[in-house]
Amino acid sequence: MGFSNDRVKNRKKRRRRRRRSRINYKPIILVVAVIAIITAVILLLKSCGGHDVGKMDLHAGTGAIYIKDNGKVVYGVAEDFGATKLNAEDVAEELESQIETEVDQFNRVEASEEEAMKLDTFDVTENVAKAVFDFSTEQDFVSYMTLYNRANDFVKQEDDQKIYEFYMNNVTEYDGNREMVVVSQETKDKVSLDATKGTLLIVTGKNTIQVDGEITYVSENCKVSEDGIVETTDEGQSFIIFDL
């Protein structure tokens, strides 16, 4: 007995379905999974930013200070040690050894608590050495900057007022020029230090500063980005007032 046209058509449909069912989807699933992983890694890198300190990048001759709302401070510095006949790896090892010795000495002599200062990262690339330190308290950061980093070696006295290379304390405690003009970040008005409240940070040279709180006033030689990052110049002292 022969097959009807309908039965032939149905058999052909079943064959096509079986052929489709034998397609190997594993390579397709693998490709999709790899794309998803790559996308996740890219998003992670973007979120981390790949920066040296907080949201900031270090460049030769600059420093970076990140003051966190939990009282911890991250400090980074980058220096160009210039052309040298010595092997770059030897220079890097020598610098890292000196830094580790300094950190150990600070923790033994000046630290407010055990391991208050840590060397987080150290890297030498194309004759530029970058070191990033973690401080468990603001007090320890100030101690390191004033005692070990010799930030106050060049404090001067002018007209019975102190000129600081570095300072970090409540603005009411500042014993320098209290008539120094700073600019409100809210109103853009210019006022004297006496009219402000908060923590005063004074730095010299090129630095970038980030705080977890709010930058309220800066001196006129500072620039503040949309992200709230303060950039200072090498033109004398830079004044930053903030609240955490």
Side-chain angles (χ1 to χ4, degrees), residues 223-240:
K223 295 180 180 179
V224 184
S225 71
E226 293 181 357
D227 293 335
I229 306 299
V230 180
E231 181 179 344
T232 68
T233 69
D234 53 5
E235 300 175 358
Q237 298 170 296
S238 296
F239 290 70
I240 300 98

Side-chain angles (χ1 to χ4, degrees), residues 37-51 54-55 57 227:
I37 292 172
I38 292 173
T39 303
V41 170
I42 292 173
L43 290 174
L44 178 61
L45 290 174
K46 285 184 177 180
S47 65
C48 294
H51 301 297
K55 299 178 181 178
D57 294 320
D227 293 335

Side-chain angles (χ1 to χ4, degrees), residues 1 31-32 53 71-72 83 117 120 148 157 173 177 180-181 242:
M1 188 168 88
V31 170
V32 172
V53 178
K72 299 181 183 297
M117 178 184 181
D120 180 50
Y148 282 77
Q157 195 87 11
E173 302 295 324
N177 179 14
M180 174 69 192
V181 173
F242 63 91

Side-chain angles (χ1 to χ4, degrees), residues 52 58 96 99 118-123 130-134:
D52 297 306
L58 285 170
E96 188 170 15
I99 291 171
K118 294 180 181 178
L119 176 62
D120 180 50
T121 59
F122 176 80
D123 175 66
K130 295 181 180 182
V132 178
F133 305 93
D134 289 328

Side-chain angles (χ1 to χ4, degrees), residues 78-97:
E79 294 293 343
D80 188 341
F81 55 83
T84 175
K85 295 180 180 179
L86 298 175
N87 184 287
E89 291 185 2
D90 293 337
V91 173
E93 290 180 4
E94 178 65 22
L95 286 172
E96 188 170 15
S97 176

Side-chain angles (χ1 to χ4, degrees), residues 93-135:
E93 290 180 4
E94 178 65 22
L95 286 172
E96 188 170 15
S97 176
Q98 291 176 3
I99 291 171
E100 289 176 343
T101 299
E102 187 174 277
V103 170
D104 179 66
Q105 183 180 12
F106 178 86
N107 283 327
R108 285 187 290 105
V109 178
E110 299 293 340
S112 65
E113 57 187 54
E114 187 176 354
E115 294 188 342
M117 178 184 181
K118 294 180 181 178
L119 176 62
D120 180 50
T121 59
F122 176 80
D123 175 66
V124 176
T125 304
E126 297 181 352
N127 292 339
V128 176
K130 295 181 180 182
V132 178
F133 305 93
D134 289 328
F135 293 87

